[in-house]
């Protein structure tokens, strides 16, 4: 993403935050822009507190994972569920 923006002469400085609420507060305070899932900003968009703009030619890919407690043995049902999830998401790679 940074190289895509730089190729269009956009100065890139970034800070990674994992809390959507903090990110939205920073944007509302004028500290830059953010790339967030649409569901995370739906309320603010409907209230006019934030605006959304398309970015042509930009593709954002993210990694997702399934988290389980360390040293936990999954049941057959749980393992089957995990396998189905993996199969489902492999089609998007």
């Amino acid at each position: 993403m940074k190289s895509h923006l730089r190729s269009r002469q956009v100065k890139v400085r970034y800070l990674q935050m994992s809390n959507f609420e903090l990110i939205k507060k920073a944007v509302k305070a004028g500290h830059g822009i953010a790339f967030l899932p649409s569901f995370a900003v739906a309320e603010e968009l409907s209230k006019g507190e934030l605006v959304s703009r398309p970015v042509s030619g930009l593709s954002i890919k993210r990694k997702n994972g399934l988290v389980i407690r360390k040293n936990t043995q999954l049941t057959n049902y749980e393992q089957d569920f995990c396998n189905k999830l993996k199969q489902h998401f492999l089609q998007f790679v």
Side-chain angles (χ1 to χ4, degrees), residues 35-52:
F35 294 92
L36 294 172
S38 57
F39 75 84
V41 293
E43 184 177 337
E44 290 81 1
L45 293 174
S46 69
K47 292 180 179 178
E49 297 173 355
L50 293 174
V51 295
S52 174

Side-chain angles (χ1 to χ4, degrees), residues 49-84:
E49 297 173 355
L50 293 174
V51 295
S52 174
R53 297 288 184 255
V55 180
S56 64
L58 179 62
S59 175
I60 299 175
K61 295 185 180 188
R62 60 185 241 186
K63 293 181 181 180
N64 293 304
L66 186 63
V67 179
I68 60 172
R69 185 183 307 262
K70 187 176 181 179
N71 299 321
T72 297
Q73 182 68 35
L74 298 178
T75 66
N76 288 338
Y77 179 79
E78 293 166 334
Q79 189 61 54
D80 287 345
F81 177 74
C82 291
N83 292 337
K84 295 275 189 211

Side-chain angles (χ1 to χ4, degrees), residues 5 8 18-19 24-25 28 30 32 42 50 55 59:
L5 293 170
R8 285 158 175 74
S18 59
N19 182 303
K24 292 185 287 188
K25 285 180 183 179
K28 288 179 190 180
L50 293 174
V55 180
S59 175

